[in-house]
Amino acid sequence: MAQKCVYVALSFILAMVLFVHDDRAFAAGTTYYVSSSTGNDVNDGTSAGTPWQTLAKISSHTFNPGDKILLKSGDTWNESVSLRGSGTTLHPIQITSYGSGSKPNLRSSAPAVVSMTNEGGWIISGLDIECTTTNALTSPSTANRAIDITYNVEGSWSNISIEGNRIRGPGINSNSEGILISAVYPTNKHSEVARNIVISNNEVYNLGWRAIGVAGWDSTLSDSHKSSALFRNVKVHNNVAYQLGNQGIVIGNSNHSTIKWNVVHDAGQYTGAGVTWGPGGIWPIASSYVDVMFNEVYNMSDSNTGHDASGLNIDWSNEYINVQYNYAHDNKGNGVTTMANINSRITENKVKSNRGETSIGTGQIALSDFTADTGRYSGLKNLIVANNLIVVDQANTSALSSKDTSSGNSWSGDSFQNNRIVMTNGILGTSAYNIGLSAPVDLINDNRFYQASGTAFQAERFGVSYGTMAAWRSATGFDLGSTVSVLDNAAPGNPSGGSATWNSGSLGISITWTAASDAGSGLNHYNIYRSTTPSFTPAYSNMVGESTTASFTDRQELQSGTTYYYLIEAEDNNGNISSGTTPASAISGTIPALTRKFEAFKDVGVIAQGPVWYYHKWDGTNYTPLANYYAPWRMWRDGSTFLTVGENLQSPDGSDSVRTWLAPEDGEITLSSNEAIRILNTGAGADGVNVRILKNNAQIWPASGWQQVIYGTTVSSPTLTLDVIKGDAIRFVVNQNSTNLYDTVYWNPIVNYNSTYLLSDNFEGSTGRWAVQSGSWSVVTDSSSKKYKQTGYSGGLTTAGTDSWSNYTLASDIHISNAAAGGGFANLVFRLTDANNKYFVFISNMHGIEIKKTIAGTQTVLASKAHTINVGTTYRVSVEVTGNRMDMYVDGVLQLSATDPAFTFSKGKIGLETYNATVLYDNFILAEQ
């Protein structure tokens, strides 16, 4: 059967199921009320007049999609709570407050005040969660965490929101921590665990270890996990964290994530002994494609370690980190620091008044290559430091420092350009640069220095000091295009005449204003601030960007149909700000939902291949991973040959160059590209290349042979829609034709998920995901397509999936080809623990249709009806499972509904089962609710 036709059939059934689901009253869930002052656990908890009393009652209950748990405002619980059950995208489970007064107070010294393990689809909001441990910060006991969410089995979780809570502890010297989301997996785990995590608008303070953390733990090595694949689309936004013994916000093992609009101050304040982890205000670690934007960090100290105490840090084993539009000031260490990382950017930040008193270096921006992960990555490569305002106003500090601290690969490709450097008058021991041995910065140019005399200069490189700009330029070749000017302390004029409109073409709000003027150092840019209230004070925590012209388009995390208010201020080259602002406002239009999208150019992994894009050569027999990432070319390379794969370029050699996308989950995808395929250049001997696309080992474009690409003639990358199963390989192959001369090809494939499934199978490939428990199962060809067949009349069961699956729709084509005289049965099994404990639906040629459960081998009928099922006819059977409700469809028509008041099985695997019949299954899907 053609893949597209299969998809249309599956989509039709899913659309029908979801449509029915959305219209049902039960989908809204049940609201439970809890009051420590007026409640009783014998109550049903379903009204404010009959609330439960304890958090233990909540912990004993497994909740369903759409449920709400409301805690009475003003009440206090001196106990912890464990949250059970999973919500869905449309119907999350929420725990929050009801009534008036202060936030409900949950306080405990347990390892977690609020905990959750292997669940998704939750909103935790509006609570006051308090750690009460009396253990000291360095106590060997388990830390007392306010919110602790853990993943430790295979599954696919999403949609956790922690919003608007007050998180606090007993003090900066306590063994306490705020919010931690962690994944505990073995070393070889390099795939997604959870996605769509939002931690926003929380106040976190008076804790020992850390305010907010996302982290992976390597259960094999008992060490921090090194993969950046574990978490995708983590958003840490608009939080305030302060009075902390050690860390601020630490985001690890994450990709395509954002840390925005947070304020962290007065962290690293522990002054005792025993802490070895140098603190930072905000930092990603072992992550990729993370935006750190619009944050303010100040008054960081070093927890008495002598290390770090920095505002913002690109830590080790990071790649493609963007640190932009942040304000880091008055920290004991540096404003912005780095550890060992590659292909990152530090741009348009403001750093000032940082004291540089710790081990990283003296710079307001301090570069280092420190790492405890030299086996995975070392060195500092391809870092861009540009367009920052750097104010050197502390004794014995510099604008930029670099320091080699770890063994391994050397530094390369790092640059420092177009920065504004203000050297404050009368401060002892300051300098422009302090470049350390074995820590070179390859390009330093086009910077603008502002200082009282307009001519003084001091810098050090590799242990040699330079007292004039001329000597520095002559010895290093740096700053040939840089300038030195006199300080300007006067503010620029005010912008005026602001206006804003929704721009449907750019999906943003376009703002214009009348330009300001500056008679001193010159206008550098405008700062644009935003709020949903008309009166607000400009701050980095509400900034949405900068513009060098009198116009700007805001696309930062906009919500549909919302009125946004803007303030625009002018800033000159010395960092002086206009005394006034000009306002503007507009209502946003419709913001379409984001798709699950993977683009070769934006997803390339350079520290390790994966998690979804891989880079191979094909020698006619084997796909072999390319040996290493070659930083100067920004490409994966096959040793000394010219065979490479880069962000959007491929070059073949004697073997084919192959970019491979591995499907992270089941679903329907569309393949495309942002531009046509083309050869970059040409010369003598060039003969073009051949290209094609494979799904696993089957060619899907062109229909046969190769598509030739020659210089000067572009080839449109095809738009293809097809189903994939987790682990399927889509291969974009470039062949050299006869020679490898001038064969570098631009090709930027894009993969969009149109819909996703927990599992799908058309049985055209391996049945490796199915575990046969009984019977005789095999893949057969029937009516020109593959089917999964069970022939044992005594019965057969095959299972798939994980024990954590909870709410889903499963559907399959079912064909009973032979049946016993007394009737044959074909089942879809769900929430299966084992063969004797499960739910299932069945069709039978003699017994109609039923929904049943089996407990310890004993069957109970939950719903049944007569329904014609003919031997030799294929039926599309599906069941939707939401909480304790089950709905069975045959050929797209709802036939049976049942609830299980006992809610016997809340999670489990799925299965196919037969009895007294030969049965064929096809086009199986399992879609999350």
Side-chain angles (χ1 to χ4, degrees):
M1 183 180 292
Q3 290 171 320
K4 183 59 179 176
C5 293
V6 171
Y7 167 72
V8 170
L10 302 185
S11 296
F12 175 73
I13 297 299
L14 273 178
M16 291 184 65
V17 171
L18 291 173
F19 177 79
V20 173
H21 173 83
D22 284 344
D23 282 347
R24 295 184 190 144
F26 84 87
T30 302
T31 299
Y32 298 91
Y33 296 82
V34 190
S35 170
S36 64
S37 60
T38 65
N40 192 313
D41 285 352
V42 301
N43 292 337
D44 61 15
T46 57
S47 73
T50 59
W52 294 339
Q53 182 178 40
T54 68
L55 301 185
K57 181 67 173 180
I58 298 173
S59 298
S60 70
H61 192 85
T62 300
F63 295 92
N64 298 322
D67 283 354
K68 291 183 179 179
I69 308 154
L70 304 183
L71 307 182
K72 187 177 180 181
S73 296
D75 279 7
T76 297
W77 289 262
N78 290 294
E79 56 177 319
S80 60
V81 62
S82 178
L83 304 177
R84 306 178 192 280
S86 283
T88 68
T89 302
L90 294 176
H91 303 292
I93 305 169
Q94 184 173 12
I95 180 168
T96 187
S97 65
Y98 76 98
S100 60
S102 59
K103 289 180 170 67
N105 181 211
L106 290 65
R107 55 196 315 273
S108 171
S109 61
V113 184
V114 178
S115 64
M116 185 188 305
T117 302
N118 301 326
E119 305 284 11
W122 276 85
I123 300 172
I124 302 171
S125 67
L127 306 178
D128 177 5
I129 306 173
E130 183 179 358
C131 297
T132 61
T133 182
T134 58
N135 293 324
L137 179 69
T138 55
S139 166
S141 62
T142 302
N144 176 200
R145 295 187 178 113
I147 299 177
D148 191 351
I149 299 174
T150 303
Y151 299 101
N152 56 23
V153 300
E154 285 298 323
S156 178
W157 289 275
S158 63
N159 302 312
I160 294 290
S161 293
I162 302 171
E163 305 173 350
N165 302 286
R166 180 165 65 176
I167 309 290
R168 55 193 170 117
I172 63 174
N173 299 320
S174 65
N175 191 9
S176 59
E177 191 166 6
I179 301 167
L180 180 66
I181 299 178
S182 61
V184 183
Y185 290 92
T187 299
N188 60 3
K189 176 70 172 179
H190 193 59
S191 57
E192 186 176 284
V193 171
R195 65 184 183 274
N196 303 341
I197 296 169
V198 177
I199 304 172
S200 68
N201 294 291
N202 301 286
E203 181 186 16
V204 188
Y205 65 99
N206 219 33
L207 295 155
W209 280 116
R210 176 170 40 188
I212 297 171
V214 176
W217 183 253
D218 189 321
S219 58
T220 304
L221 302 177
S222 294
D223 195 2
S224 298
H225 210 292
K226 304 304 189 294
S227 172
S228 67
L230 305 184
F231 300 99
R232 187 179 178 101
N233 194 30
V234 177
K235 295 179 180 291
V236 182
H237 292 178
N238 299 104
N239 302 282
V240 178
Y242 59 98
Q243 293 178 9
L244 304 167
N246 196 242
Q247 306 291 347
I249 297 172
V250 185
I251 304 303
N253 311 107
S254 302
N255 66 88
H256 296 85
S257 298
T258 53
I259 308 171
K260 296 180 178 179
W261 300 297
N262 302 284
V263 177
V264 177
H265 65 90
D266 293 279
Q269 301 298 313
Y270 178 72
T271 58
V275 171
T276 58
W277 194 3
I282 295 175
W283 46 284
I285 184 169
S287 294
S288 59
Y289 298 96
V290 178
D291 284 333
V292 182
M293 303 174 72
F294 313 117
N295 304 286
E296 181 176 1
V297 185
Y298 61 94
N299 205 28
M300 288 294 306
S301 193
D302 65 352
S303 300
N304 204 28
T305 65
H307 304 302
D308 299 81
S310 57
L312 303 137
N313 178 22
I314 305 176
D315 216 291
W316 70 60
S317 296
N318 279 310
E319 58 185 3
Y320 294 100
I321 307 299
N322 177 45
V323 176
Q324 185 178 31
Y325 304 130
N326 302 283
Y327 183 25
H329 60 101
D330 296 284
N331 298 297
K332 182 176 183 178
N334 318 102
V336 184
T337 62
T338 72
M339 308 300 173
N341 71 87
I342 184 170
N343 292 345
S344 296
R345 300 172 61 90
I346 301 169
T347 62
E348 285 93 17
N349 302 283
K350 182 178 181 179
V351 290
K352 65 174 294 187
S353 303
N354 301 288
R355 302 194 297 278
E357 295 174 351
T358 56
S359 60
I360 297 300
T362 62
Q364 295 292 319
I365 297 178
L367 313 182
S368 88
D369 62 350
F370 178 76
T371 181
D373 184 24
T374 54
R376 179 174 166 85
Y377 183 76
S378 59
L380 182 65
K381 294 181 174 63
N382 299 344
L383 175 72
I384 295 172
V385 183
N387 298 305
N388 301 284
L389 172 64
I390 305 169
V391 179
V392 184
D393 58 358
Q394 298 294 303
N396 303 311
T397 62
S398 55
L400 177 74
S401 67
S402 66
K403 187 174 183 180
D404 179 41
T405 59
S406 294
S407 60
N409 290 338
S410 60
W411 298 36
S412 66
D414 305 317
S415 65
F416 183 81
Q417 296 187 86
N418 295 300
N419 298 284
R420 295 173 289 146
I421 302 165
V422 176
M423 306 296 296
T424 303
N425 187 38
I427 309 297
L428 297 176
T430 59
S431 64
Y433 308 109
N434 190 341
I435 308 300
L437 293 170
S438 302
V441 177
D442 289 350
L443 178 61
I444 300 177
N445 201 14
D446 295 322
N447 300 294
R448 284 164 285 176
F449 292 88
Y450 300 91
Q451 48 206 41
S453 70
T455 58
F457 182 84
Q458 182 67 39
E460 181 175 311
R461 179 173 180 260
F462 304 161
V464 179
S465 294
Y466 302 90
T468 66
M469 177 67 83
W472 169 255
R473 287 171 169 168
S474 176
T476 65
F478 293 152
D479 281 313
L480 299 180
S482 299
T483 59
V484 181
S485 303
V486 176
L487 280 171
D488 169 21
N489 294 315
N494 297 320
S496 61
S499 65
T501 57
W502 167 250
N503 187 326
S504 59
S506 64
L507 296 177
I509 293 177
S510 295
I511 311 160
T512 60
W513 57 91
T514 301
S517 60
D518 183 77
S521 60
L523 196 69
N524 185 267
H525 66 268
Y526 299 90
N527 300 312
I528 297 90
Y529 306 91
R530 183 187 76 196
S531 177
T532 54
T533 58
S535 298
F536 68 101
T537 301
Y540 272 76
S541 57
N542 52 48
M543 180 183 280
V544 290
E546 298 177 359
S547 176
T548 58
T549 67
S551 64
F552 178 79
T553 299
D554 174 25
R555 302 183 187 90
Q556 288 289 338
E557 310 285 344
L558 294 171
Q559 301 296 312
S560 298
T562 302
T563 300
Y564 290 104
Y565 300 90
Y566 295 90
L567 294 175
I568 302 99
E569 68 182 10
E571 180 174 330
D572 72 14
N573 281 306
N574 279 207
N576 300 303
I577 303 296
S578 60
S579 59
T581 60
T582 189
S585 64
I587 301 174
S588 59
T590 300
I591 310 292
L594 294 176
T595 59
R596 192 145 157 76
K597 179 180 179 180
F598 302 89
E599 184 173 355
F601 177 76
K602 296 180 179 179
D603 290 325
V604 63
V606 301
I607 292 177
Q609 296 204 16
V612 294
W613 294 100
Y614 295 82
Y615 314 101
H616 298 99
K617 67 174 181 179
W618 167 253
D619 61 8
T621 303
N622 297 306
Y623 291 100
T624 305
L626 298 185
N628 66 286
Y629 181 78
Y630 187 54
W633 291 2
R634 302 175 74 93
M635 302 180 85
W636 286 88
R637 186 179 181 189
D638 179 33
S640 59
T641 76
F642 289 103
L643 195 151
T644 53
V645 184
E647 294 168 335
N648 50 20
L649 302 176
Q650 290 181 240
S651 296
D653 208 318
S655 297
D656 293 346
S657 170
V658 184
R659 187 192 307 275
T660 302
W661 180 83
L662 287 187
E665 57 188 325
D666 296 6
E668 187 217 38
I669 63 170
T670 295
L671 306 182
S672 62
S673 178
N674 68 336
E675 293 182 37
I677 307 168
R678 66 181 187 275
I679 293 179
L680 293 190
N681 47 52
T682 190
D687 62 351
V689 298
N690 299 314
V691 298
R692 63 180 177 178
I693 304 174
L694 309 177
K695 177 185 175 185
N696 299 320
N697 294 317
Q699 184 163 320
I700 57 176
W701 177 80
S704 62
W706 294 89
Q707 171 65 55
Q708 188 178 27
V709 183
I710 60 174
Y711 179 76
T713 302
T714 61
V715 172
S716 295
S717 187
T719 299
L720 304 173
T721 300
L722 62 151
D723 287 322
V724 292
I725 292 171
K726 182 178 180 179
D728 275 350
I730 307 298
R731 306 188 190 275
F732 302 86
V733 185
V734 179
N735 169 269
Q736 71 172 7
N737 205 346
S738 298
T739 74
N740 68 351
L741 298 173
Y742 303 99
D743 279 354
T744 300
V745 174
Y746 177 94
W747 195 359
N748 180 36
I750 298 171
V751 183
N752 265 303
Y753 271 97
N754 304 316
S755 58
T756 59
Y757 313 133
L758 290 172
L759 186 151
S760 66
D761 212 334
N762 59 13
F763 305 106
E764 298 294 325
S766 167
T767 57
R769 291 193 297 178
W770 297 90
V772 173
Q773 309 298 325
S774 60
S776 178
W777 294 85
S778 61
V779 174
V780 300
T781 300
D782 180 81
S783 301
S784 74
S785 69
K786 300 289 183 66
K787 310 279 196 304
Y788 200 24
K789 184 177 184 180
Q790 205 290 116
T791 57
Y793 264 46
S794 60
L797 172 66
T798 183
T799 62
T802 72
D803 294 329
S804 65
W805 285 350
S806 178
N807 301 292
Y808 43 70
T809 296
L810 66 161
S812 182
D813 295 343
I814 302 179
H815 180 99
I816 301 175
S817 61
N818 289 292
F825 299 81
N827 302 347
L828 291 179
V829 184
F830 51 98
R831 290 186 180 161
L832 174 144
T833 302
D834 55 43
N836 294 314
N837 294 277
K838 63 198 176 188
Y839 292 112
F840 62 96
V841 299
F842 76 63
I843 63 172
S844 170
N845 65 309
M846 297 289 288
H847 304 282
I849 60 177
E850 291 188 351
I851 302 174
K852 304 181 79 172
K853 70 176 178 180
T854 300
I855 304 175
T858 300
Q859 294 186 5
T860 300
V861 177
L862 300 175
S864 65
K865 69 183 292 186
H867 189 87
T868 301
I869 301 295
N870 295 316
V871 172
T873 299
T874 299
Y875 298 90
R876 184 70 179 172
V877 179
S878 62
V879 57
E880 179 186 307
V881 190
T882 307
N884 65 351
R885 176 154 178 156
M886 294 149 275
D887 296 284
M888 180 182 181
Y889 297 78
V890 179
D891 290 334
V893 178
L894 178 64
Q895 298 291 344
L896 290 174
S897 295
T899 57
D900 179 11
F903 200 13
T904 310
F905 308 112
S906 62
K907 300 180 181 180
K909 298 179 180 179
I910 52 88
L912 309 174
E913 189 174 31
T914 71
Y915 183 67
N916 281 345
T918 298
V919 182
L920 294 91
Y921 292 89
D922 197 10
N923 300 326
F924 179 89
I925 61 167
L926 180 71
E928 183 179 13
Q929 292 297 310

